[in-house]
Amino acid sequence: MVLTIILISGSACSELPYDSWYLGFGSPNYMEAWIETADVVDVRGQTFYRAMSGTTSINTPPNNLGRPHGWPSNPGWGAGKNVTGADLPKIIYVRWKSYADSRTYEVFITLNDEQRQAMLKGEKAYCAWRNTWIISYLKGVVIGLAPGGIAKAWLAGPCIESMEIGRFTGRVVKAGPDAGQPSPRLRPESRTYIEQYGIPYDSW
C-alpha cells in the first residue's frame, strides 16, 4: 500500500514560522526497528517519499537495566530528518521492520486541523540548558514504533511539553523482509532481554 492511491483534497497552504519541520522516530528499550520508508503528504497534497528511513532512536542498556514498558510522557525528538519544502503534515505513512518480533508493519498516521494549528503557535519557553528564554514551536512530529504494529505520535518542540497526536495500530505486511525469520540484526542486549522477559505488547 502506498500513498499514491490516496485522494488528497485541496487545502490552503500555511505560512510556516520556521524553515522546515522535523520528523523523528524512536522505539521502546530493546525493541529495535528499521524504517523502510516514512512518506509524508502535506496539506497542499505534496508527497515526500522516504522523508525518513533507517534505524529508530533506542536504548539497549546491558544487564536488562532498561524498561521497555509504555511510552515517556515527554519523548525526545528521536532519530530523523527535517522535511524541507513541506507544508504542514496531513498524513504520514510508515513501513517498518520490527526486529523484536520479526515482522514488517505499515501504518497511516493522520493529523487534524487542531494539531496542525498547534504547530504554528509560538510559545515563550525557558531553556535551562541554555539559561535563556526563547519562542518555541511544536515543529517536530515524533513517532514511536513498537512491536505489534503500534505507533504513538506526538508534536514536540525545544524546551516545551510535547502534545499527543494519537495512538495508531498498523497492519502486518505479509511480503515483508526476512520471510518472518528471526532478524540477525538484533543486538545481543536486546535479544537477551526479549528471551528472558518477552515483549510487553499490552503496555503500548
Side-chain angles (χ1 to χ4, degrees), residues 86-129:
D87 207 316
L88 295 174
K90 183 173 184 178
I91 302 170
I92 302 172
Y93 167 80
V94 187
R95 176 185 166 115
W96 80 98
K97 165 74 175 181
S98 171
Y99 293 156
D101 61 4
S102 297
R103 289 187 175 91
T104 299
Y105 300 98
E106 65 178 4
V107 68
F108 288 95
I109 293 169
T110 57
L111 286 80
N112 59 37
D113 288 337
E114 180 181 357
Q115 292 160 348
R116 282 188 290 271
Q117 287 303 309
M119 296 179 71
L120 300 175
K121 295 178 182 177
E123 178 179 337
K124 189 174 182 180
Y126 176 70
C127 292
W129 62 279

Side-chain angles (χ1 to χ4, degrees), residues 14-199:
S14 309
E15 188 71 27
L16 299 183
Y18 34 80
D19 293 335
S20 61
W21 53 273
Y22 182 82
L23 179 60
F25 292 87
S27 292
N29 290 3
Y30 307 113
M31 305 298 148
E32 298 178 58
W34 173 268
I35 303 161
E36 294 183 357
T37 187
D39 305 333
V40 173
V41 174
D42 71 9
V43 292
R44 287 186 285 172
Q46 300 180 109
T47 303
F48 296 80
Y49 294 103
R50 293 180 67 83
M52 173 57 185
S53 61
T55 57
T56 61
S57 176
I58 191 169
N59 292 318
T60 56
N63 303 317
N64 296 335
L65 295 178
R67 181 174 174 79
H69 299 71
W71 300 104
S73 58
N74 195 40
W77 283 53
K81 297 178 181 178
N82 288 318
V83 187
T84 304
D87 207 316
L88 295 174
K90 183 173 184 178
I91 302 170
I92 302 172
Y93 167 80
V94 187
R95 176 185 166 115
W96 80 98
K97 165 74 175 181
S98 171
Y99 293 156
D101 61 4
S102 297
R103 289 187 175 91
T104 299
Y105 300 98
E106 65 178 4
V107 68
F108 288 95
I109 293 169
T110 57
L111 286 80
N112 59 37
D113 288 337
E114 180 181 357
Q115 292 160 348
R116 282 188 290 271
Q117 287 303 309
M119 296 179 71
L120 300 175
K121 295 178 182 177
E123 178 179 337
K124 189 174 182 180
Y126 176 70
C127 292
W129 62 279
R130 292 172 55 183
N131 190 29
T132 187
W133 288 87
I134 66 169
I135 300 299
S136 184
Y137 293 89
L138 292 169
K139 59 179 181 179
V141 178
V142 179
I143 300 172
L145 300 176
I150 301 303
K152 187 76 174 285
W154 301 262
L155 296 177
C159 307
I160 54 178
E161 290 293 314
S162 300
M163 173 182 171
E164 184 176 320
I165 295 173
R167 180 183 184 273
F168 304 84
T169 302
R171 72 178 187 91
V172 173
V173 179
K174 294 181 179 179
D178 298 341
Q181 298 302 310
S183 172
R185 301 186 188 181
L186 200 61
R187 302 175 199 179
E189 295 85 356
S190 299
R191 188 177 299 280
T192 297
Y193 184 93
I194 292 170
E195 288 176 349
Q196 185 167 351
Y197 295 104
I199 298 175

